[in-house]
Amino acid sequence: MKSENKLIGAGLLTAITASLCCITPVLALIAGTSGLASTFSWIEPFRPYLIGLTILVLAFAWYQKLKPQKEIDCECETDEKPKFTQSKTFLGIVTVFTIVMLAFPYYSGIFYPNTKKQIIVVDKVDIQTIEFKISGMTCASCEEHVNLEVNKLNGIVNAKASYENGNAVIEFDRTKTNEMEIEKAINSTGYKVTNKKEN
């Protein structure tokens, strides 16, 4: 029974660790400490292995729980009810929680506020587009965090971060903000601007 609890604990731990790189930006947003967002981005390359380990551990825990028990040839009383933490219900709850944690990167965008705002452009000549190369973004949650911080600036017409491309393409009114302010906003998230070029 103790080994089942260890398996369940290991499954939970690996599931949380696998999603930590994507959970941290949301927690940083909630806590108001943007700089912490990229703290666990180093975990991202290990995510597939952690997911695989989580699935193996939980599959083995379910196998242990569902396999037929050996009959004990004993006159002793064995009708003792197992603890809740050793029940199928608890293992089911842990499994559902694990699935929710592993899927976190796919629905993390719902935790970010809407960054759309009304744009008033006085003169189109003042609109400039710059691509910022960014290191440290690992999932859609990272993208949302960068978009949110950049859109807090006045004069942002459009902000589109992409973790797959490792960049953010920012369209802005240069009479209201500038490259340095945008770079500062991106760096405040914990991700770093490594290069920039005008489009």
Side-chain angles (χ1 to χ4, degrees), residues 57-77:
V57 167
L58 285 176
F60 188 69
W62 275 108
Y63 169 75
Q64 292 285 78
K65 185 58 71 185
L66 298 175
K67 76 178 181 181
Q69 299 295 323
K70 293 180 184 176
E71 297 240 355
I72 302 172
D73 212 11
C74 174
E75 297 295 324
C76 53
E77 296 268 332

Side-chain angles (χ1 to χ4, degrees), residues 104-122:
F104 188 81
Y106 302 106
Y107 63 84
S108 61
I110 64 172
F111 294 101
Y112 288 94
N114 186 359
T115 57
K116 301 290 183 210
K117 56 185 178 180
Q118 177 132 6
I119 314 295
I120 299 172
V121 178
V122 177

